[in-house]
Amino acid sequence: NSKRQGRNTFSFYTEKMSEILARRLQLESMMQSALERNEFSVFFQPQFDLKTKKLLGAEALLRWNSNRLGPISPAEFIPVAEQNGYIVEMGKFVLREALANAQTWQQDLPYPLRIAINLSPRQFRDVRLLHDLQKFMANNVDPKVQIELEITEGLLLSGDDSVKSTLYQLHDLGFMLAMDDFGTGYSSLSYLRQYPFDVLKIDKSFVQDMGHDSGIQLVNTIISMAHGLGLKVVAEGIETEEQMELLTKLGCDVGQGFYLGKPMPSNVFDELITHFRSLSVGS
Ligand code: C2E
Ligand code: MG
Ligand code: MG
Ligand code: MG
């Protein structure tokens, strides 16, 4: 009997695995034409100064609305694109879209707009990255726009010296650097000191854990230590007013999350810009 059960378990897993594999292959086969058919778009999620409640800018987030499968989450397709290399092409698309919009929005804002862009390890290691970023900067963007590049801990853990040198070059070129999803990997704050980061993004799992005292203490510690290292702190995944208020009290600099604003298409973000322009002109 136990033998039989074992076999059933085995076939359950192989079925599950071939399902996952089939889906992966399907996404992969659709990716190239999806790029050509404009199924991708870039959404923008607003970021606010928690103290002044001023709109600071946005994080650019890639969206895929497939003609055949409907919306597909980046959590699903980015790892596939990362593996087959399409991420480099997609990343250029995000950069182009994000910077074109930032350029327009900046003209309407009396203060510098920041635009955050995610870079995955494959993009980061692409030799053309520095060149492309430099070109985009030089030709398309108002120098007032602050471009923040978000990377995750995984990239650093490769222990690769060229990663460090690329980070320093990007920083010297005027890009701000953010450590995304901090706390989900293995790196410590003191480890980050050897890199030229400007911003630390506290992962949403920590924000969502602030329902009890130990969770609040942990976030408090991260914020104080980050400030001690001269880093600005962004909290992501703020879903409630309580979370926003707590984070503000703890001195967190910037807030992002569904409570403050969901990722939205650029024409909807236009309205936010218009609103904040009128506020700043009025004051
Ligand atoms: P991320 O960079 O950490 O982006 C934040 C994710 O949290 C986004 O998911 C956003 O929609 C979601 N989020 C924002 N506020 C809340 C909230 O209050 N509650 C909850 N539960 N979630 C919230 P999204 O857009 O699905 O992206 C998932 C991940 O895919 C991103 O995580 C990023 O790692 C990757 N990604 C997205 N766009 C790009 C891109 O253009 N390039 C690269 N390389 N990666 C991207
Ligand atoms: Mg991010
Ligand atoms: Mg994140
Ligand atoms: Mg992430």
Side-chain angles (χ1 to χ4, degrees):
N1 189 12
S2 82
K3 210 173 189 172
R4 183 137 151 228
Q5 236 170 27
R7 195 159 340 120
N8 285 341
T9 312
F10 179 69
S11 72
F12 170 77
Y13 280 119
T14 45
E15 253 168 57
K16 201 78 203 144
M17 271 160 60
S18 58
E19 228 173 80
I20 291 168
L21 191 65
R23 167 87 175 176
R24 214 189 152 94
L25 289 173
Q26 186 184 30
L27 293 188
E28 205 161 6
S29 70
M30 288 163 41
M31 253 171 211
Q32 183 61 50
S33 63
L35 273 171
E36 287 154 9
R37 283 197 305 226
N38 298 318
E39 293 181 359
F40 289 98
S41 61
V42 177
F43 273 33
F44 296 88
Q45 185 175 32
Q47 295 184 335
F48 295 91
D49 184 316
L50 283 176
K51 218 182 283 155
T52 63
K53 308 289 182 250
K54 194 168 84 170
L55 175 72
L56 293 174
E59 177 176 3
L61 294 161
L62 189 56
R63 292 289 175 265
W64 181 5
N65 193 359
S66 158
N67 291 339
R68 263 166 59 198
L69 300 177
I72 303 169
S73 161
E76 191 182 5
F77 73 79
I78 296 271
V80 179
E82 172 80 8
Q83 223 170 43
N84 67 18
Y86 279 135
I87 190 68
V88 173
E89 192 88 7
M90 286 179 190
K92 271 193 206 162
F93 169 76
V94 173
L95 205 61
R96 223 177 313 130
E97 285 290 304
L99 297 189
N101 281 293
Q103 170 69 16
T104 312
W105 294 329
Q106 184 64 82
Q107 286 166 353
D108 276 343
L109 273 190
Y111 55 86
L113 175 92
R114 54 192 260 175
I115 195 93
I117 292 170
N118 293 283
L119 288 182
S120 64
R122 177 82 169 244
Q123 280 172 281
F124 193 86
R125 292 209 183 83
D126 191 90
V127 289
R128 289 156 297 182
L129 175 76
L130 263 170
H131 170 261
D132 289 344
L133 281 172
Q134 243 173 320
K135 206 176 72 188
F136 276 118
M137 274 278 251
N139 300 335
N140 311 311
V141 199
D142 186 322
K144 274 210 295 287
V145 174
Q146 294 175 346
I147 304 169
E148 191 173 301
L149 303 173
E150 297 190 359
I151 63 157
T152 49
E153 290 166 87
L155 184 70
L156 307 182
L157 292 171
S158 65
D160 195 335
D161 262 357
S162 73
V163 167
K164 194 187 272 186
S165 105
T166 307
L167 283 172
Y168 274 96
Q169 288 180 67
L170 288 169
H171 199 244
D172 287 346
L173 284 170
F175 293 100
M176 300 216 296
L177 299 175
M179 168 62 28
D180 201 357
D181 303 339
F182 180 76
T184 57
Y186 298 96
S187 59
S188 61
L189 273 167
S190 59
Y191 175 77
L192 294 184
R193 287 169 74 171
Q194 53 180 309
Y195 301 96
F197 286 107
D198 306 283
V199 172
L200 187 103
K201 293 192 84 171
I202 303 180
D203 189 67
K204 48 181 168 292
S205 57
F206 292 93
V207 173
Q208 264 122 56
D209 239 28
M210 290 198 309
H212 41 86
D213 285 349
S214 61
I216 297 173
Q217 267 321 310
L218 187 53
V219 171
N220 189 19
T221 305
I222 296 174
I223 293 172
S224 320
M225 287 184 70
H227 282 163
L229 294 172
L231 300 168
K232 293 270 182 226
V233 182
V234 177
E236 58 182 14
I238 301 178
E239 292 182 351
T240 68
E241 186 179 2
E242 294 71 39
Q243 289 165 349
M244 183 190 68
E245 240 121 63
L246 261 170
L247 287 158
T248 308
K249 245 195 271 166
L250 297 178
C252 182
D253 304 285
V254 179
Q256 181 183 342
F258 295 165
Y259 177 73
L260 296 160
K262 292 204 165 159
M264 56 187 93
S266 63
N267 62 323
V268 180
F269 199 85
D270 286 347
E271 292 163 27
L272 266 184
I273 295 286
T274 307
H275 176 71
F276 276 87
R277 178 189 51 192
S278 65
L279 282 186
S280 349
V281 168
S283 66

